[in-house]
Structure formats: C-alpha cells, structure tokens
Amino acid sequence: MTERAKVRDILEACRDRHLIALRDLATSEGGLVEDEIRRTACTYAVDQADDNSALAKWCAGPVLLGSNSTQGGSAPDVEILEKHRDEDQVQLDVNRSFVYYPEDESDKRKDLRKHELSDVITKVLRAHPMLHYFQGYHDIVQVLLLVLGADAAVPAVARLSLLHIRDFMLPTMTGTETHLQLLPAILYAVDPVLCKHLSATQPFFALAATLTLYAHDIEEYGDIARLFDFLLASPASIPLYLFAVIVESRKAELLEIEEDEPEMLHSILSKLPKPLKLESLIQRTSELYKQHPPESLPNRAWSRVSANSVLKTTHDPLQLAKQTLADGEVMFERQAAEIRRADDWKRRKLRLRQLSRKYRRPARVATFGGATIAAVMIAYWLRGSAGEMGFGSTLPVLSRLRQEAWGVLRGYLF
C-alpha cells in the first residue's frame, strides 16, 4: 500500500468511526504515518460529524483509545476544582520533562510546553480525584500533548487514564504487579527454555518500560509516536507482549549469563536495547498476541487477573468502545475494593502465622492441632468481617461463635 492510499484509508476510518480498521492501520508498518496526518484525520472526522462541538473534544486519540462515541463536553475549569493531592509531585516531574524532544527549541518554548503539560495533567487529576499519579505518567501525557495539542490532549488523557492505564493509578502498586506477574507466562509461551533461564529473576525489570508505555525509555520522538499508534490501538496487555518479544530478541545475550545471577540479568533486562527495531518488534508482537492470546497463557495466569483490571476490560475492542469515563470510575472503585479485601486477608493470615508461632506448644497441641488452628482462624476471621460481608442480621450468632472459638483456643493453649 502506498503512503497516499494509507492516508486515505486512515481518513475514511476516522470519518466512519471504524475502530477495527483504524487499529489495523495503526498496527501496520508506518502506523498513522505522521503527526500532521493524525491531526488531519481528527479534523476530517470532526468536519463530517453531526455534532462538531462535542466530537472536537475527542479527536483521533480517543478513537484509537476505543471510543466510537460522539459524546464530549467542555474541559473542566481547573480553577474551581479542588487541588489534587499529587500536584506537588506532578510539578517536580514536569520540571524534568521534554529532555529529549522536541529538539532545537528555545527555553521559552520549552517552558510554555511544560506549562501546557502541567495544565493537562492537573485538569485530568482534578476532574477524577480518585486517580493516583505515578512517576512516569508525565512521560505518557507528554507524547499525547505533542501529537494532539493541549486542548485535544485533555479528553484523550482522561480516557487513557481511566480506561487503559487505570491499574497503574490505583491507591497501591498491586494493580501494576498484576501486569508484571503476567509476563512470565507470556515468556513461557514465547520460549520455555529462556523463561526457565530467567525464572530466578523477578519481572520487575519490565516495570519502567511497561508502566510508562515505553515513553520513559525511548528517546526519539518519531519512534515513541509510532509506538503509541500501536499501543493505543491495542489491549492493555500488549506492552507486556512487546516486552516479551524484546526479551526474546536478546536470547543469545541472556543465555551467556548464569541463571543464578538474577542481579546481572535484572540489570540487563531493565534497559532497552539500542537501537530498537520498532517495526519488526511491532509485527512480531502482533503475531505473538494472535498465537498466544491472554486467555490461552499457561498456569491459569489469565484467570488470576481481576475482571475489573484493564487487562480484561480492554481485551474486547468493541466492548471498550462502549465504555465511558463513568464506567472507568466504577471499575476503579471495584478493583480498589478488591485489593483492599485481598490485602486485609493477607494481613490476617500473617497475623495468624505469628500467633501460631508465638503460642505453639507441640506436646499439648499435637492431639488437638487441627481444632486449635480452626479455632484461631474462625475467631480471627470473624473479627470485623460480619459488617463487610453483609451479615448484620446474624451478628449475635457470630459474636457467640467468636467467643466460643476463643474459649476453645484458650483451653488448648493455656
């Protein structure tokens, strides 16, 4: 396909809000060609829409991010919204932005860009205060700002934050860890031998690259803009597949290092090779995803992912297209609640182990070990759990059971 024909197809896909066609074009060699075509495609879609003022707020970025809706709305007035808790950290990171690109700009122009970057991030965070800023978020927003411009970047960043990288903006790192824990399963699908060689190395080597959609590591603007064509047009698991392909491409180098040297392996894997052969990596990633989709990964890795994680809520592009920012906020709260419950259960299990070790009396407990452990678990678990699980009407029964359980425990241990 010639470049001219591709541009025509991009414009038609944007005009018709044909998400699947646009995704295919973004994945194909050369992506969406160049920034001017990306912006022109957006303008063309707006000019052909019934509701120009609304669609103008969404542009090409949100089309790639999965929206075929014409809903929009005015950007929030940042001055009347409450200050977000992370704004001081935002400013520190913004001050370190635009290091590698754009090139050959005056300090005055760079200062203006930094002001625009701060403004975009602040508007999104104040409009959606549940989101937690993470270091590297500004690297992602910086790319969208340069491609789309300040006005169009705000709704694009909002949709990206709530519907594509929501897991990274939860109150804890648990959502991020879920992504990283999927990487070994992908690596095993790619190359079981290589995966075994790296098994002693925790997948945190992929954190910086996947957390920032590679924007923190790639120094050439043309490369990161091209890669964003692909990543924004794909499910949220694709950055992990891409990293697996990058690891695969370094197999010979990695196998030269002993597998019992995880620190050395981590050091090498945490840095992307240079130069990156982006086009071949993108095409290989696309092939790998088709050959080994997430639901087919070994060790039931996919089944352990929350239904509210972006790993699953971006999996079906047609379902993603129907999601709104309000849906993203609901899924955020659900996943945050799941994480709180899981963390609470972990704390209780840890406390149970500590109690077990502290009060272990082998001679006296041996006969009644199972009953003792059961008593501890029932008593400790029931403490404070009734309200969470909706057992309000059975509180008297649970209270009595808790007392009896602790009575059994005292009888066996003291």
Side-chain angles (χ1 to χ4, degrees):
M1 179 187 295
T2 66
E3 184 175 288
R4 184 173 182 177
K6 187 172 190 180
V7 168
R8 183 191 65 241
D9 289 347
I10 293 170
L11 295 176
E12 290 178 354
C14 283
R15 180 196 64 200
D16 299 336
R17 311 294 290 183
H18 198 320
L19 179 60
I20 302 302
L22 191 59
R23 286 186 169 209
D24 291 342
L25 289 163
T27 300
S28 65
E29 185 174 355
L32 298 181
V33 185
E34 60 183 32
D35 285 355
E36 183 178 356
I37 300 303
R38 296 179 181 105
R39 290 190 291 267
T40 301
C42 164
T43 304
Y44 190 91
V46 171
D47 288 343
Q48 299 300 314
D50 294 330
D51 185 1
N52 293 350
S53 61
L55 186 55
K57 296 298 182 182
W58 289 96
C59 301
V63 173
L64 280 182
L65 290 170
S67 174
N68 60 11
S69 169
T70 58
Q71 61 176 327
S74 300
D77 185 350
V78 70
E79 299 301 330
I80 65 174
L81 295 175
E82 184 177 350
K83 182 178 179 179
H84 191 274
R85 60 188 166 277
D86 297 329
E87 286 185 31
D88 291 340
Q89 183 61 53
V90 170
Q91 196 55 51
L92 290 174
D93 288 350
V94 166
N95 290 340
R96 297 190 291 265
S97 61
F98 300 106
V99 174
Y100 299 113
Y101 50 79
E103 298 178 357
D104 303 322
E105 284 198 333
S106 66
D107 291 341
K108 183 177 180 180
R109 179 57 179 156
K110 283 189 176 181
D111 287 342
L112 177 59
R113 289 194 185 278
K114 290 178 181 180
H115 176 77
E116 291 175 338
L117 178 60
S118 177
D119 191 50
V120 170
I121 295 174
T122 299
K123 284 180 178 178
V124 172
L125 292 180
R126 289 191 181 185
H128 308 283
M130 76 289 297
L131 295 174
H132 289 252
Y133 176 83
F134 61 88
Q135 288 186 277
Y137 180 77
H138 71 291
D139 292 314
I140 298 173
V141 178
Q142 173 179 297
V143 178
L144 293 178
L145 174 64
L146 291 173
V147 171
L148 295 174
D151 291 337
V154 173
V157 171
R159 189 166 178 88
L160 176 76
S161 302
L162 281 165
L163 300 180
H164 270 253
I165 60 172
R166 180 178 64 247
D167 294 2
F168 305 152
M169 307 191 78
L170 289 161
T172 71
M173 288 289 290
T174 302
T176 304
E177 291 171 2
T178 300
H179 286 240
L180 296 177
Q181 290 162 3
L182 202 62
L183 183 58
I186 301 173
L187 284 171
Y188 186 86
V190 173
D191 190 320
V193 173
L194 181 58
C195 181
K196 181 179 182 301
H197 185 73
L198 301 175
S199 60
T201 307
Q202 294 298 314
F204 291 102
F205 50 75
L207 179 62
T210 56
L211 184 70
T212 64
L213 305 183
Y214 297 83
H216 182 73
D217 295 288
I218 294 180
E219 299 176 4
E220 296 293 329
Y221 175 69
D223 288 344
I224 192 60
R226 164 66 188 106
L227 183 57
F228 265 44
D229 289 346
F230 175 53
L231 297 181
L232 300 188
S234 304
S237 57
I238 280 292
L240 295 165
Y241 278 79
L242 174 59
F243 202 95
V245 168
I246 292 173
V247 173
E248 177 193 33
S249 72
R250 308 177 75 177
K251 179 177 180 178
E253 175 188 7
L254 294 168
L255 291 180
E256 290 178 356
I257 302 169
E258 296 296 329
E259 60 184 85
D260 60 356
E261 295 187 33
E263 293 84 3
M264 180 67 74
L265 289 167
H266 177 95
S267 177
I268 292 174
L269 289 166
S270 62
K271 299 179 180 65
L272 296 183
K274 295 180 181 179
L276 279 177
K277 299 178 180 179
L278 269 183
E279 290 299 339
S280 60
L281 288 173
I282 288 172
Q283 299 313 314
R284 170 62 181 142
T285 300
S286 183
E287 292 170 3
L288 177 63
Y289 186 84
K290 292 175 182 176
Q291 293 168 357
H292 303 282
E295 61 270 22
S296 72
L297 293 175
N299 302 320
R300 302 183 68 249
W302 190 241
S303 67
R304 292 193 291 271
V305 176
S306 167
N308 292 302
S309 167
V310 294
L311 289 168
K312 286 189 173 176
T313 61
T314 63
H315 189 50
D316 183 343
L318 298 180
Q319 289 300 316
L320 174 60
K322 299 175 183 178
Q323 294 173 15
T324 65
L325 299 185
D327 293 331
E329 292 183 347
V330 169
M331 289 183 282
F332 179 100
E333 296 297 347
R334 287 176 180 170
Q335 193 174 5
E338 290 174 358
I339 291 171
R340 285 194 298 270
R341 288 193 294 270
D343 289 346
D344 183 60
W345 176 236
K346 289 178 184 177
R347 286 192 294 269
R348 293 186 184 197
K349 287 198 295 185
L350 176 61
R351 180 60 177 155
L352 283 170
R353 293 194 197 100
Q354 292 171 341
L355 286 171
S356 177
R357 286 193 295 267
K358 182 176 180 180
Y359 296 110
R360 185 177 292 130
R361 306 260 183 103
R364 297 182 61 190
V365 176
T367 306
F368 305 104
T372 302
I373 293 172
V376 173
M377 292 186 68
I378 292 171
Y380 195 79
W381 180 73
L382 288 176
R383 188 180 71 179
S385 295
E388 292 178 8
M389 301 188 68
F391 293 163
S393 61
T394 62
L395 282 174
V397 176
L398 295 180
S399 177
R400 185 166 61 255
L401 181 56
R402 184 170 63 239
Q403 292 172 0
E404 291 175 0
W406 280 113
V408 171
L409 177 63
R410 284 194 294 270
Y412 289 144
L413 294 182
F414 303 106

